[in-house]
Amino acid sequence: MALKFALLAALCEEPMSGYDLNQTFRTRLANVWNASHQQIYKELARLHELALVSVTDRPQQGKPDKRIYHISDAGKEALAEWLNQRQHRPPVRDPLLVKFFAGDLLELSALREELAAIKEDWLAQTGYYRAIEHTYFRAPDQLTPHFRLQYLALRRGILGMETNLRWLEEVETTLNDIDSQVTSRPAAKDREPS
Amino acid sequence: MALKFALLAALCEEPMSGYDLNQTFRTRLANVWNASHQQIYKELARLHELALVSVTDRPQQGKPDKRIYHISDAGKEALAEWLNQRQHRPPVRDPLLVKFFAGDLLELSALREELAAIKEDWLAQTGYYRAIEHTYFRAPDQLTPHFRLQYLALRRGILGMETNLRWLEEVETTLNDIDSQVTSRPAAKDREPS
DNA sequence: TCGCGCATGTAAGTTGTTACATGATTTA
DNA sequence: TAAATCATGTAACAACTTACATGCGCGA
């Protein structure tokens, strides 16, 4: 549902092709709404059918025509309507937390490797968000309301990443602790009774 | 995908019915993996077909039979295998952030009402998580490894909620700021030129 | 007596994923 | 010369949502 309106919102700023929209989703919208290019193209076709966007094909040599999408008046109306309706909170569904819930059954070495990869990812994301903050939102209170609101979306991403990393530290501490307990006094069943 | 393994993990702790599993998902697993009862029943049927769980029907008077699911050896194996494979991070998809991205187009009064409702929700969730923490995980470093890992999943929930609330404060501050700017010097087009 | 909790599902629809497809241009 | 970027899709499948269905017991 919301993909539709994320597309419309992006097209509100400026007319773009599906390709460009995909770039936008993978960068500026990365902490807001994820979508694959397949989904984007499909949804754009639907928006076109519904006349919420119009298309102008711009021919190119060596490449397929660039199809530029413009939001229509009907599109703006639909967007405004959606924006002023309450939306559901997204459900929490994190496979990593399922693993922690399973507890004992995971091999800690495998978990550690996964966590290391995730940490790199989170650090990279944080750096990326920080860079955007620094270049575009350096003096947030002097921005137009429009960009102040967008900045808040970015802030959500930054705060989220910081929390992720703080949580990872707790996890590492606990993991080390478990390790040292296990090696210093192994489970009774693995030993001769004393 | 992961629903399957969340179910198996829950059944690892103790055999349960679909109804009980639904309770577990709505409480202990609320910050881990959300699932509706329909989905749970469907997935349980599939797990049974795959022989990853076995079923014993316990008749009841006045109610449908309670179907108790037990994890099988094959189920444990499948779970262990999944746990030691890397899993994808869940994609970010938040309609609320789409709204902030749209920026200017939202009516701030509608947004404020939505935010107030969300805040109540988050406060309630935080309280709930805190209660669990207090009753089950009061001395975390004295728990078995199994429960120390589960506690980390809960911590993720608590830290997440704290972040949500801190972000909301930023949002409220910015919103007030925008309001006071707009009312003290309205947009030029709404006024006579000076 | 009205609604909630208990207890199990079916069915239709939407949304999102994964795999496949094509082909020129630029960069390492 | 191999891989990445530009540029647009189709098709099959899996996952999730929403609406519907049934029926007893219990408490306000």
Side-chain angles (χ1 to χ4, degrees):
Chain A
M1 257 281 86
L3 169 57
K4 203 165 143 176
F5 301 101
L7 287 165
L8 289 174
L11 292 175
C12 244
E13 291 194 341
E14 131 190 68
M16 294 164 93
S17 68
Y19 188 89
D20 300 329
L21 282 163
N22 189 42
Q23 304 303 314
T24 305
F25 273 72
R26 308 212 297 104
T27 53
R28 284 208 301 152
L29 282 167
N31 65 121
V32 170
W33 196 273
N34 286 161
S36 63
H37 71 100
Q38 292 94 327
Q39 229 191 321
I40 290 170
Y41 286 120
K42 210 194 298 177
E43 198 60 46
L44 282 171
R46 252 187 69 197
L47 287 173
H48 190 215
E49 270 179 43
L50 296 169
L52 303 181
V53 298
S54 61
V55 189
T56 53
D57 280 36
R58 187 197 305 159
Q60 301 185 120
Q61 63 266 56
K63 295 175 197 168
D65 293 359
K66 224 177 202 289
R67 319 202 68 204
I68 310 291
Y69 292 87
H70 308 249
I71 190 167
S72 69
D73 289 349
K76 275 178 205 165
E77 264 179 61
L79 176 57
E81 202 192 317
W82 183 83
L83 286 172
N84 294 311
Q85 277 171 352
R86 291 210 185 161
Q87 304 304 326
H88 287 141
R89 299 271 63 228
V92 178
R93 288 199 186 103
D94 188 339
L96 181 61
L97 296 184
V98 172
K99 290 188 173 193
F100 280 92
F101 176 74
D104 252 1
L105 297 162
L106 355 58
E107 284 166 31
L108 294 192
S109 59
L111 180 64
R112 274 209 165 86
E113 279 173 37
E114 186 168 9
L115 291 173
I118 290 173
K119 185 175 191 174
E120 270 192 48
D121 208 87
W122 284 347
L123 284 169
Q125 275 299 311
T126 307
Y128 178 65
Y129 291 159
R130 287 278 181 215
I132 296 181
E133 190 178 39
H134 192 255
T135 53
Y136 293 104
F137 300 108
R138 201 181 270 177
D141 44 347
Q142 282 159 36
L143 297 167
T144 60
H146 184 84
F147 288 107
R148 296 192 76 172
L149 292 169
Q150 281 204 356
Y151 178 55
L152 287 171
L154 179 64
R155 286 294 298 162
R156 179 62 263 244
I158 292 172
L159 291 174
M161 283 299 155
E162 283 174 358
T163 303
N164 285 337
L165 291 168
R166 271 190 295 125
W167 177 69
L168 256 193
E169 279 174 34
E170 287 191 21
V171 171
E172 279 164 22
T173 307
T174 300
L175 251 38
N176 290 338
D177 224 44
I178 290 175
D179 261 359
S180 63
Q181 283 187 3
V182 168
T183 53
S184 68
R185 39 182 169 88
K189 62 178 173 181
D190 293 342
R191 292 186 139 222
E192 293 297 308
S194 51
Chain B
M1 254 282 83
L3 170 58
K4 203 165 141 176
F5 300 101
L7 287 165
L8 288 174
L11 291 176
C12 242
E13 290 194 341
E14 133 189 67
M16 294 164 90
S17 69
Y19 188 89
D20 300 329
L21 282 163
N22 189 41
Q23 304 302 315
T24 306
F25 273 72
R26 307 213 299 104
T27 51
R28 284 206 303 151
L29 281 168
N31 66 118
V32 170
W33 196 272
N34 286 161
S36 65
H37 71 99
Q38 292 94 327
Q39 231 191 319
I40 290 170
Y41 285 121
K42 209 195 298 178
E43 198 59 47
L44 282 171
R46 252 186 70 197
L47 287 172
H48 190 213
E49 269 180 43
L50 295 169
L52 302 181
V53 298
S54 62
V55 190
T56 54
D57 281 39
R58 188 197 303 159
Q60 301 184 117
Q61 63 265 55
K63 295 175 196 169
D65 293 359
K66 221 177 204 290
R67 317 201 68 205
I68 309 292
Y69 291 87
H70 307 251
I71 190 167
S72 69
D73 289 347
K76 276 179 205 163
E77 262 178 64
L79 177 57
E81 201 191 319
W82 182 84
L83 286 173
N84 294 311
Q85 276 171 350
R86 292 209 186 160
Q87 303 305 325
H88 288 141
R89 297 270 67 226
V92 178
R93 288 202 187 99
D94 189 339
L96 181 62
L97 296 183
V98 173
K99 291 188 173 192
F100 280 91
F101 176 74
D104 253 0
L105 298 162
L106 352 60
E107 284 165 34
L108 294 191
S109 61
L111 180 64
R112 273 210 165 83
E113 280 173 37
E114 186 169 7
L115 290 173
I118 290 173
K119 185 175 190 171
E120 272 192 45
D121 207 88
W122 285 346
L123 284 170
Q125 275 299 311
T126 307
Y128 178 66
Y129 292 160
R130 288 273 181 220
I132 296 181
E133 189 178 37
H134 192 256
T135 53
Y136 293 104
F137 300 107
R138 200 180 272 179
D141 42 347
Q142 282 159 37
L143 297 168
T144 59
H146 183 84
F147 287 108
R148 296 193 73 173
L149 292 169
Q150 282 204 354
Y151 177 55
L152 287 171
L154 178 65
R155 285 295 297 162
R156 179 62 265 245
I158 292 172
L159 291 174
M161 283 299 156
E162 283 175 358
T163 303
N164 286 338
L165 292 167
R166 271 189 295 126
W167 177 69
L168 256 194
E169 279 174 32
E170 286 191 22
V171 171
E172 279 164 21
T173 306
T174 299
L175 251 39
N176 290 340
D177 223 44
I178 290 175
D179 261 0
S180 64
Q181 283 187 3
V182 168
T183 53
S184 66
R185 40 182 169 89
K189 61 179 174 182
D190 293 342
R191 289 184 144 223
E192 292 298 307
S194 52

